[in-house]
Amino acid sequence: MALKVLSVASEAVPLVKTGGLADVAGALPAAVSGHGVEMTTLLPGYPAVMQSLGKVRAIHTWPALLGEPARLLAGRIGDHPLLVLDAPGFFARGGQPYSDSTGHDWGDNWRRFAAFSRAAADIAGGAVKRKAFDVLHAHDWQAALAPAYLRYAPPEGGQAVPSVQTVHNMAFQGYCHASIFPWLGLPHEAWSVDGVEYHGGVGMLKAGLTSAGKITTVSPTYAAEIRSGEFGMGLEGLIRARGHDVVGILNGIDTALWNPATDPALARHYTPRTLPRRAANKRAIETVFGLDHDDGPLFVVISRLTWQKGMDVLLEVLDHLVGIGGRLALLGSGDPRIEQGLHEAAARHPGRIAVRIGYDEDLSHRMQGGGDAILVPSRFEPCGLTQLYGLAYGCVPVVARTGGLADTVIDANPAALAAGVATGVQHGAVSYDSLAAALNRTVALYWQPGEWERLQRNGMKCDFSWAASGRAYADLYRSLAA
Ligand code: ADP
């Protein structure tokens, strides 16, 4: 009998995406299905998710879930089962999943995602008939109260269901004022340093980290990094105390969606053996962005424009990038000061730097398929997906040596080049000097066509599919269920 796992995520492709969490939650069901796991995904009933369902009957109702009426609807996400929490008071609104259309976080996010987590615990615990699960898998702070509900307030008559908490990014912790505690419906004993209490408030992510049977994060290096103050962001002591319960499982990429030989977004398909065909995609990107057409290196960036992603340092180094013959096409949105700085750089360097502020999935594929190199100068990076897509697409990653970036890119140092195993360029500190030096090295490699094509082909041949990681998650669920 297949093991039944409820994956509780606040976003999942193809229905709703703000970042890498959605790629992972969307890919996991297929990744584990070959390993004896049947995964059902639970998503909040945002408008886009509700639209995907068409007309369906409710399979469960809550008269008041954290104060709002809610229903549970069943559908499909790809080939896999989907459950949707239809709670209009929480989720039927415009804007983004976590913020309004001006980018401000919704003030009631704690209540929206506490309700989501309460529902998840009820469903996994068997309060919803026919739908009991062997394991609950909570993603990030938005789902992290679910393990705490299972531990402290399981559904009446329900079973003790083990849980996994995954940290996709330690920087987002769902920290709330203590005054919300009475509204969560948790017993008094949950208010403890081993429970949800965190620096005098409620730590939603912390609640998951103290309550889940296992903790995972999305790369081995990040799993080690979050044991230190620099990366643990206050939770390093807890991570150290959980010892061997914390494991790093590298994210894979969905090769059905990200494959340059079949990607419908690309003007021209290609494989490691037909790399020259990429030129047509490069020309297309230059045209879309209004960049000069020339044979020099075309750098791309596809990113949230934030401090974490090192975008402030990228800004500083742009004049240098142009000075050494590079061009840049950037897609992203975020910090208004960084957006402003990028517009200024584009105005200083017409034809050399072009910026598209916004979110565009299709364009992101085309940039990977046409750019020569993708820059990912993150200060910390739990896994990072854009460098993996870059590897798969022959868009050579130039990355900071941290987290999943360190785990997935082999630096083109003399030894790796001599051994023929390099896949990209790494730099140490996220500073002007080290980023400029990495750009210099990249441009020098670019002008050695044999060497450059070898980098591209090495990356494209790497296996970053979900095969190994799907098995690792399945093994983890099985160890908990036993
Ligand atoms: P994070 O989740 O921290 O933002 P990841 O690298 O793990 O970073 O995942 C980011 C995902 O979001 C990738 O799939 C990337 O292609 C996508 N992405 C980021 N910004 C944009 C954008 N402006 N337009 C389209 N896709 C984007």
Side-chain angles (χ1 to χ4, degrees):
M1 268 257 291
L3 201 70
K4 291 182 143 198
V5 177
L6 182 68
S7 170
V8 186
S10 55
E11 48 184 280
V13 293
L15 300 179
V16 51
K17 168 168 170 177
T18 73
L21 165 61
D23 297 68
V24 176
L28 258 188
V32 295
S33 73
H35 304 288
V37 175
E38 184 193 275
M39 179 170 277
T40 299
T41 306
L42 175 69
L43 282 176
Y46 311 118
V49 176
M50 294 299 291
Q51 275 159 26
S52 80
L53 289 178
K55 219 171 140 48
V56 286
R57 266 186 328 120
I59 57 175
H60 187 74
T61 58
W62 290 264
L65 188 65
L66 275 275
E68 292 287 335
R71 308 185 299 159
L72 187 67
L73 307 174
R76 308 287 291 174
I77 181 162
D79 296 331
H80 303 276
L82 171 72
L83 291 172
V84 174
L85 182 65
D86 176 26
F90 292 135
F91 302 120
R93 36 179 103 162
Q96 295 297 311
Y98 321 123
S99 57
D100 63 22
S101 49
T102 65
H104 287 102
D105 283 354
W106 299 109
D108 60 348
N109 271 346
W110 68 270
R111 211 155 72 93
R112 302 170 75 220
F113 292 104
F116 181 56
S117 299
R118 174 72 264 180
D122 287 354
I123 297 162
V128 177
K129 279 194 205 66
R130 298 181 291 118
K131 285 282 174 197
F133 289 84
D134 300 304
V135 176
L136 179 149
H137 185 167
H139 298 274
D140 273 354
W141 71 267
Q142 291 92 337
L145 282 177
Y149 282 122
L150 284 173
R151 172 182 173 196
Y152 292 109
E156 228 168 279
Q159 341 150 352
V161 178
S163 54
V164 180
Q165 176 68 48
T166 294
V167 182
H168 294 267
N169 192 334
M170 204 57 135
F172 303 113
Q173 299 191 350
Y175 181 69
C176 307
H177 194 267
S179 59
I180 73 160
F181 181 73
W183 301 95
L184 296 178
L186 284 165
H188 191 69
E189 77 220 55
W191 183 259
S192 100
V193 67
D194 295 322
V196 309
E197 189 276 330
Y198 186 46
H199 293 298
V202 171
M204 294 214 191
L205 181 61
K206 184 194 169 179
L209 296 177
T210 54
S211 301
K214 292 281 182 190
I215 296 167
T216 72
T217 189
V218 288
S219 69
T221 292
Y222 194 61
E225 287 173 341
I226 57 177
R227 298 167 61 84
S228 72
E230 187 185 351
F231 296 95
M233 307 200 170
L235 290 166
E236 59 276 6
L238 167 51
I239 293 294
R240 283 199 300 269
R242 294 291 316 258
H244 295 299
D245 290 335
V246 183
V247 288
I249 302 178
L250 199 65
N251 286 337
I253 65 175
D254 189 335
T255 47
L257 296 176
W258 291 92
N259 178 353
T262 55
D263 190 332
L266 299 186
R268 196 81 200 267
H269 293 144
Y270 58 94
T271 66
R273 287 202 309 205
T274 55
L275 275 174
R277 292 186 186 161
R278 289 184 93 252
N281 299 329
K282 180 170 173 177
R283 294 287 97 86
I285 287 300
E286 290 163 354
T287 303
V288 167
F289 277 86
L291 288 167
D292 296 344
H293 295 293
D294 71 38
D295 292 333
L298 174 62
F299 291 95
V300 299
V301 170
I302 303 158
S303 183
R304 292 187 285 118
L305 303 178
T306 63
W307 183 88
Q308 177 201 335
K309 300 290 184 181
M311 290 292 122
D312 50 326
V313 179
L314 176 81
L315 267 185
E316 293 170 13
V317 91
L318 287 182
D319 292 341
H320 180 74
L321 181 150
V322 172
I324 57 175
R327 287 160 299 152
L328 173 76
L330 178 143
L331 169 64
S333 64
D335 184 335
R337 283 165 306 182
I338 296 175
E339 292 182 359
Q340 179 59 29
L342 287 166
H343 285 309
E344 286 166 14
R348 272 198 314 279
H349 300 291
R352 312 306 294 176
I353 293 182
V355 173
R356 185 70 71 87
I357 299 300
Y359 192 93
D360 188 333
E361 188 73 25
D362 185 78
L363 183 57
S364 75
H365 285 241
R366 286 186 279 150
M367 291 168 76
Q368 297 278 14
D372 293 306
I374 181 160
L375 303 177
V376 194
S378 304
R379 288 192 168 85
F380 62 95
E381 195 57 80
C383 177
L385 289 170
T386 57
Q387 87 282 10
L388 296 183
Y389 300 141
L391 288 168
Y393 278 62
C395 185
V396 174
V398 179
V399 305
R401 191 178 300 112
T402 187
L405 302 173
D407 288 335
T408 55
V409 175
I410 301 174
D411 180 57
N413 57 44
L417 286 174
V421 296
T423 60
V425 172
Q426 289 190 347
H427 54 89
V430 179
S431 65
Y432 176 92
D433 286 344
S434 83
L435 199 48
L439 289 175
N440 293 346
R441 273 209 292 145
T442 307
V443 171
L445 283 164
Y446 176 83
W447 289 115
Q448 296 168 252
E451 208 63 278
W452 187 256
E453 280 187 19
R454 192 133 73 120
L455 279 185
Q456 291 179 297
R457 275 198 297 270
N458 285 347
M460 292 178 79
K461 287 179 184 160
C462 290
D463 181 4
F464 286 112
S465 73
W466 274 98
S469 299
R471 174 184 294 278
Y473 276 110
D475 289 347
L476 189 77
Y477 301 144
R478 212 163 281 116
S479 73
L480 277 171

